[in-house]
Amino acid sequence: MAWDAPRVAQALAVERQAGYPNLQGRQYQFYEFLLEQMRGVPLDWLPAPYINQWQVLLAELRHYPQLTCDQREALVQRIADLLPHVRIPGTSRVQEKPAPSVTEDTPIRELSLLKPQQKKYLHQLGLQTLGDVLRYYPRSYVDYSQRLLIKDLQPGTTVTIIATIRSFRCFTSPKNPQLTILEWWVADRSGRLKINRYVMGKRYATKAWQEQQKKQYLPGTLVAISGLVKATKFSKTLTEPQIQILDEETEESVGKIVPVYGLKGTLKASGVRQAVHAVLPLVQSWPDPLPETLRKRYQLVPLATAYQGIHAPAYAEALKRARTRLVFDELFYLQLSFLQRRQQQRRQPSPAVQAEGELLQKFRAQLPFQLTGAQERVIREILQDLRQPQPMQRLVQGDVGSGKTVVAVMAMLAAIEAGYQVAMMAPTEVLAEQHYQKLLDWLTPLHIPVELLTGSTKASQRRQILAQLSTGEVPLVVGTHALIQEEVQFAHLGLVVIDEQHRFGVEQRSLLQQKGMAPHVLTMTATPIPRTLALAIHGDLDVSQIDELPPGRQPIQTTVIPGSQRHFAYDLIRREVAQGRQAYII
């Protein structure tokens, strides 16, 4: 039986969709057909690294009827992953094998596999190199293998249908001039369906925007529509519909998962899809940057398989595995860059601060409350960092009201008592003013001067503060972005405290740190990020969590309210404020 790659891929997909029952065909059972096909592949059709894997799979496939469902699934997946590596001599695929000089940095214009029109398409999308094309991931997919007819829709299920637009209207609601209604009538061979979408806003109510929608959704246009099926009084519909315009449906798309790319201007989806698919053979011979031991540990497919799976998935599981590998790579290399930056920071000498001096004891004594166990733990972690000759890089997480500021003050006092200056930066003048007033209340009894420097600071006062900072007369300054201006100079900056650190860019934080000789850095945030995610996002920081509220504080409840219930949110805020409470909107 001659090797037939499309039939093999189809057999794998059908077996997978059926739940791995070892389907019976006209002549063969599934595993018998696959054995005959794989036995017909000469070993020289496979790259050397894959020959042994192919032989192992052949041996395991003979026992397919005796395997459990999970074992069958794993075996089918491993076979599917090897299929792209079968190279038939004399075919265009072998002729398309790239020269070793083709890399991610190779310009599109130098790729002989692409036709001039395809290169034009890719350039119109702003893609310049082969790497740009490979990482131009589809924004969505249309799964033709799972398509449903309109007559088969069941309320309560989330589905995708493929239908033709019969009519389309876009108009402003007569009852609300800011509400725009989009209305489609679509049909397939089984029936018709009415779908509505509602958008709120002045720009949607303009004639220009509505006319643009009418030009986009012309009668006869093929669309894929996804949404939750809902039964109305007269018929069914899809709520919150996502609508994707498709090219004309062809036999090639039937039974497949078709990628949908973001387009510009008059570009056709099929043209872009063909151009992207044309370069996929170029990556098959590339070495994988991740070692095989790492891929096995995290069950990751090879990078070439991931590119194939994300741009031309043969089935849903292949797409899932491709996404997993590409997401892993993004996070992995992000973490490597964080670790590299952390190592560079640790090579810099930083002022070692001996903590728990007289100032800290006096401050503790004047506090009208007892610090929580979580606060004490975080303070110990910070003071231990300050004793080191390497710069501290620590993030303190905690809900609003958990007491992050008092923890930061302990670090400030340790630095000030050791003879260093402290700068505290907040993202807004309002927040900076709040911190300034709080620090005045706490530190004035300790005879520690505090200054406020923002964009609103008067010129005469600003000149005085800048002079005192440069001579070291002011040990503590609170400010906004004004602190990173070039004219702001410190005599002995030893500690930088940044509140709501996620609202500052990396360069902004770095500029403040450059005001001293590798000062210690303490950042704070009230954004509720799980610790594992915080470590991923802030890989160059040590993370401390204040996970205990002070006595008497009410637990904080977080609620997500959709835009459709905006009026409910405003009513809630009015009631809370009327009762003397506070509210704010994120």
Side-chain angles (χ1 to χ4, degrees):
M1 186 184 297
W3 172 251
D4 189 336
R7 285 187 65 197
V8 171
Q10 184 180 16
L12 292 172
V14 172
E15 175 75 2
R16 179 178 293 104
Q17 291 168 7
Y20 310 95
N22 191 26
L23 289 168
Q24 176 66 54
R26 294 179 182 177
Q27 293 179 286
Y28 303 99
Q29 288 183 309
F30 164 74
Y31 91 101
E32 292 172 333
F33 166 77
L34 210 53
L35 270 175
E36 288 298 318
Q37 285 285 324
M38 293 177 67
R39 283 171 180 158
V41 175
L43 295 182
D44 59 2
W45 287 12
L46 290 160
Y50 300 104
I51 291 176
N52 185 57
Q53 294 182 45
W54 190 266
Q55 293 173 322
V56 169
L57 291 174
L58 265 172
E60 292 183 19
L61 187 58
R62 295 187 182 95
H63 305 287
Y64 191 84
Q66 289 78 45
L67 300 180
T68 65
C69 184
D70 289 343
Q71 291 171 331
R72 290 181 180 184
E73 179 183 7
L75 180 57
V76 167
Q77 179 59 47
R78 288 160 59 201
I79 293 172
D81 289 342
L82 270 185
L83 289 187
H85 300 289
V86 178
R87 304 287 178 81
I88 305 175
T91 64
S92 59
R93 188 170 187 178
V94 170
Q95 295 168 2
E96 291 171 353
K97 187 175 180 179
S101 59
V102 177
T103 68
E104 287 194 4
D105 297 326
T106 301
I108 290 174
R109 64 177 181 274
E110 297 179 11
L111 299 177
S112 58
L113 283 177
L114 292 174
K115 300 175 182 177
Q117 186 64 30
Q118 291 175 328
K119 293 178 182 180
K120 181 180 177 181
Y121 280 161
L122 298 177
H123 281 134
Q124 281 184 260
L125 292 171
L127 309 178
Q128 302 299 326
T129 66
L130 177 56
D132 293 340
V133 178
L134 294 173
R135 287 184 290 273
Y136 190 68
Y137 302 136
R139 67 182 184 187
S140 61
Y141 298 84
V142 178
D143 190 350
Y144 283 91
S145 65
Q146 300 296 324
R147 62 183 298 180
L148 284 178
L149 295 174
I150 290 175
K151 71 178 181 63
D152 297 326
L153 299 182
Q154 296 297 323
T157 59
T158 300
V159 301
T160 296
I161 63 170
I162 297 169
T164 302
I165 296 176
R166 294 299 185 220
S167 65
F168 172 72
R169 292 202 305 155
C170 182
F171 58 94
T172 302
S173 169
K175 296 182 180 180
N176 185 342
Q178 292 198 21
L179 177 65
T180 299
I181 302 172
L182 293 86
E183 178 187 280
W184 293 265
W185 273 103
V186 299
D188 62 13
R189 67 175 184 269
S190 71
R192 301 178 69 197
L193 193 68
K194 181 182 177 183
I195 297 172
N196 288 333
R197 182 191 292 166
Y198 305 92
V199 290
M200 182 74 75
K202 290 183 179 179
R203 80 180 187 94
Y204 303 115
T206 62
K207 185 176 181 180
W209 189 88
Q210 294 179 4
E211 288 299 321
Q212 182 184 18
Q213 301 305 302
K214 293 175 183 177
K215 292 178 181 178
Q216 186 176 6
Y217 298 110
L218 295 173
T221 303
L222 189 69
V223 290
I225 310 171
S226 302
L228 178 67
V229 182
K230 180 181 178 181
T232 66
K233 185 176 181 180
F234 301 103
S235 62
K236 300 171 187 173
T237 188
L238 299 182
T239 61
E240 300 292 334
Q242 299 296 317
I243 301 178
Q244 175 64 50
I245 296 176
L246 305 176
D247 290 338
E248 184 177 354
E249 189 174 8
T250 65
E251 291 184 3
E252 295 179 356
S253 64
V254 176
K256 291 186 177 181
I257 301 175
V258 178
V260 178
Y261 295 92
L263 303 176
K264 290 183 179 179
T266 59
L267 288 180
K268 283 191 173 183
S270 58
V272 174
R273 188 161 52 242
Q274 291 167 7
V276 175
H277 290 188
V279 304
L280 292 179
L282 295 173
V283 306
Q284 299 303 322
S285 61
W286 287 359
D288 197 313
L290 290 185
E292 188 173 357
T293 53
L294 192 62
R295 298 202 306 269
K296 285 184 176 180
R297 182 188 307 172
Y298 295 104
Q299 300 179 340
L300 302 171
V301 298
L303 184 58
T305 304
Y307 282 134
Q308 182 75 27
I310 204 72
H311 290 291
Y315 45 87
E317 184 64 23
L319 174 59
K320 179 181 177 182
R321 289 173 180 263
R323 274 203 186 110
T324 299
R325 169 59 198 268
L326 295 173
V327 169
F328 178 92
D329 279 17
E330 289 187 17
L331 292 176
F332 180 70
Y333 294 124
L334 178 65
Q335 287 299 297
L336 286 182
S337 67
F338 281 150
L339 290 173
Q340 183 181 41
R341 188 163 67 192
R342 188 74 172 114
Q343 289 300 321
Q344 292 172 347
Q345 291 168 344
R346 285 175 174 168
R347 294 192 191 104
Q348 299 175 330
S350 189
V353 175
Q354 297 305 317
E356 290 292 357
E358 183 180 351
L359 274 180
L360 274 74
Q361 295 175 9
K362 288 182 178 180
F363 179 65
R364 284 179 178 273
Q366 76 176 29
L367 287 176
F369 52 83
Q370 189 75 24
L371 296 177
T372 65
Q375 287 174 312
E376 293 286 9
R377 169 175 46 79
V378 174
I379 288 171
R380 287 194 298 270
E381 292 171 349
I382 294 171
L383 296 183
Q384 178 61 32
D385 285 350
L386 292 176
R387 294 188 186 99
Q388 307 307 315
Q390 295 85 31
M392 171 179 70
Q393 295 283 336
R394 184 167 291 276
L395 169 68
V396 176
Q397 270 189 272
D399 281 331
V400 175
S402 63
K404 297 184 296 297
T405 305
V406 72
V407 167
V409 171
M410 297 290 283
M412 295 177 188
L413 292 175
I416 291 171
E417 189 163 9
Y420 297 102
Q421 292 170 292
V422 177
M424 183 177 191
M425 186 164 68
T428 65
E429 290 196 15
V430 172
L431 189 55
E433 177 73 28
Q434 290 175 348
H435 282 307
Y436 173 67
Q437 294 298 333
K438 177 64 71 175
L439 291 173
L440 279 181
D441 294 341
W442 280 344
L443 302 186
T444 298
L446 300 177
H447 307 292
I448 297 175
V450 184
E451 293 292 350
L452 176 66
L453 186 63
T454 68
S456 300
T457 304
K458 293 181 180 179
S460 59
Q461 188 178 3
R462 178 184 179 84
R463 286 193 296 270
Q464 181 181 351
I465 294 173
L466 293 180
Q468 292 175 333
L469 287 175
S470 63
T471 60
E473 294 176 64
V474 173
L476 173 57
V477 62
V478 182
T480 56
H481 299 75
L483 291 177
I484 63 177
Q485 300 302 316
E486 186 176 348
E487 63 269 22
V488 180
Q489 300 296 326
F490 293 84
H492 306 288
L493 183 62
L495 173 65
V496 171
V497 178
I498 301 174
D499 194 17
E500 296 295 334
Q501 66 89 31
H502 59 281
R503 296 176 64 177
F504 292 100
V506 174
E507 290 186 6
Q508 291 173 322
R509 298 196 297 266
S510 178
L511 285 172
L512 184 55
Q513 292 171 241
Q514 292 170 17
K515 300 291 184 179
M517 295 299 292
H520 298 285
V521 178
L522 180 66
T523 60
M524 302 186 295
T525 181
T527 305
I529 307 174
R531 180 177 175 82
T532 50
L533 183 57
L535 290 171
I537 296 174
H538 309 294
D540 57 336
L541 303 175
D542 297 313
V543 180
S544 295
Q545 283 189 304
I546 302 179
D547 49 11
E548 179 184 356
L549 289 175
R553 292 290 177 93
Q554 295 296 317
I556 296 172
Q557 295 181 350
T558 302
T559 302
V560 178
I561 300 177
S564 59
Q565 298 181 22
R566 188 184 303 269
H567 63 283
F568 169 77
Y570 291 155
D571 289 342
L572 176 62
I573 291 173
R574 292 187 188 98
R575 290 197 302 270
E576 294 297 312
V577 171
Q579 296 179 35
R581 302 191 182 99
Q582 295 174 307
Y584 64 93
I585 301 173
I586 298 177

